Amino acid sequence: MALSVVDLYRDILPRTNCKDCGFSTCLAFAGFVVSEKHAIDGCPHLLPEVVKRCNEELAAQSAAGKWTKRDLAEDALKWAKERSASMALQDLPDRIGGALIKAAGMPDVLTLPYYTDILHITEADITTASGALLTRWERVFLYNHMAQGGKRHPTGNLKGFEAFPNTVSKIKTMTGQVEAPLAEHFGRDPEALKAAAARLGGVDITGKDNNADLAFGFRPLPRIPVMVLFWNADVADGFAATAKLLFDETIIEHLDIESIVFLSERLRQMLCGESNDEKG
């Protein structure tokens, strides 16, 4: 039989709320077993044959995706990879840049600059030449970049995220998850932004057609430049530090809106030196 949270609580667990499993109630324990794949033998009051029977049912319904918590990153990666599957590898250098390497007896490899690293893209996967792991979200926006179909080179006309169509629902995310954290992190030490930008191959363009206290141009991918503008806090006037990302007007030909957000969040992570716990 299937085991929902209620089934497990009502029919299997002792319902004594003894806390021997480490949870405050039997119902809370049941919720983690069903939706988070927590080990059911964490309850010490179940007979071995009951544990075995429940594990078989839980494994079956988990494999079917029933009642389990969805892995959004894995779902997005699967969709993006399927979306890019129809793209011929040999057509990509003309569209997104990079170079195609052909070797006898070996699969074709597209080498693509990515910040200061080089990506190796094959029909099977995306890795880096240096061996560094990519996050699943990075692979999502890279597959989407391959599938988007754009081929125009950047024009140099840069815009804020909100200036692009269909971004209304994501403006809050861009502000709250990218620009505000950058401002808060480097507001305490603006000079640290220079060192962080240099590590990612950022070019200092402070004062060049912008009024920011600090400005850096990045080239995450050959056809996708990103500019980061930073203004210091003004204590006298009561203004906090602020940060702003600008994108070339052609970016929506190369990335969908969701992928622009992924790209921006990853840039924030790398600039702020945040650990990457979503690899693989």
Side-chain angles (χ1 to χ4, degrees):
M1 66 172 186
L3 284 177
S4 68
V5 174
V6 172
D7 293 331
L8 188 61
Y9 171 73
R10 183 191 60 211
D11 302 331
I12 305 297
L13 298 178
R15 291 182 288 162
T16 58
N17 298 332
C18 65
K19 302 181 178 62
D20 290 346
C21 63
F23 290 84
S24 58
T25 66
C26 290
L27 185 61
F29 176 76
F32 270 78
V33 169
V34 173
S35 65
E36 302 283 354
K37 301 181 182 179
H38 188 78
I40 192 172
D41 60 7
C43 174
H45 305 293
L46 299 179
L47 295 174
E49 57 267 29
V50 173
V51 170
K52 181 177 183 296
R53 175 168 54 82
C54 289
N55 276 336
E56 291 173 353
E57 181 54 46
L58 289 166
Q61 65 191 41
S62 175
K66 191 172 184 178
W67 292 317
T68 57
K69 185 177 180 180
R70 296 301 296 266
D71 186 336
L72 297 181
E74 193 61 33
D75 287 349
L77 178 57
K78 181 180 179 181
W79 173 81
K81 192 170 183 179
E82 289 175 351
R83 183 171 179 241
S84 69
S86 62
M87 300 295 108
L89 206 62
Q90 62 267 26
D91 294 338
L92 292 178
D94 182 54
R95 286 187 34 238
I96 66 175
L100 192 65
I101 297 177
K102 291 178 172 288
M106 300 292 291
D108 292 349
V109 178
L110 174 68
T111 60
L112 189 70
Y114 179 59
Y115 291 106
T116 58
D117 211 334
I118 298 292
L119 298 176
H120 282 185
I121 301 175
T122 66
E123 291 183 356
D125 206 353
I126 302 174
T127 61
T128 68
S130 65
L133 291 174
L134 296 172
T135 70
R136 285 182 292 178
W137 290 119
E138 280 177 301
R139 290 159 70 199
V140 166
F141 70 70
L142 287 164
Y143 280 125
N144 282 340
H145 180 35
M146 293 161 58
Q148 192 74 0
K151 63 184 295 184
R152 267 211 299 166
H153 288 263
T155 65
N157 183 19
L158 301 176
K159 300 179 178 182
F161 182 68
E162 70 283 352
F164 292 97
N166 305 316
T167 57
V168 173
S169 64
K170 294 296 180 181
I171 290 173
K172 186 176 180 180
T173 301
M174 179 65 72
T175 302
Q177 299 298 320
V178 180
E179 295 172 340
L182 280 173
E184 181 180 0
H185 185 88
F186 293 107
R188 298 185 293 270
D189 184 10
E191 289 299 306
L193 179 56
K194 293 183 179 180
R199 287 196 302 271
L200 296 181
V203 177
D204 191 336
I205 51 176
T206 305
K208 297 179 181 179
D209 298 322
N210 64 78
N211 63 356
D213 294 311
L214 292 171
F216 300 94
F218 298 90
R219 190 63 72 117
L221 294 160
R223 304 284 167 90
I224 302 179
V226 180
M227 183 186 293
V228 174
L229 304 177
F230 180 86
W231 290 269
N232 295 324
D234 190 328
V235 179
D237 290 336
F239 292 112
T242 56
K244 180 75 175 175
L245 268 62
L246 300 180
F247 307 91
D248 193 87
E249 64 179 351
T250 60
I251 194 170
I252 56 175
E253 299 176 28
H254 293 285
L255 290 175
D256 58 30
I257 297 303
E258 194 78 35
S259 296
I260 296 173
V261 175
F262 295 159
L263 174 72
S264 303
E265 290 180 331
R266 185 64 184 131
L267 176 57
R268 182 216 75 215
Q269 287 178 340
M270 292 190 289
L271 284 172
C272 294
E274 297 174 8
S275 62
N276 175 12
D277 57 1
E278 184 58 64
K279 293 179 179 179

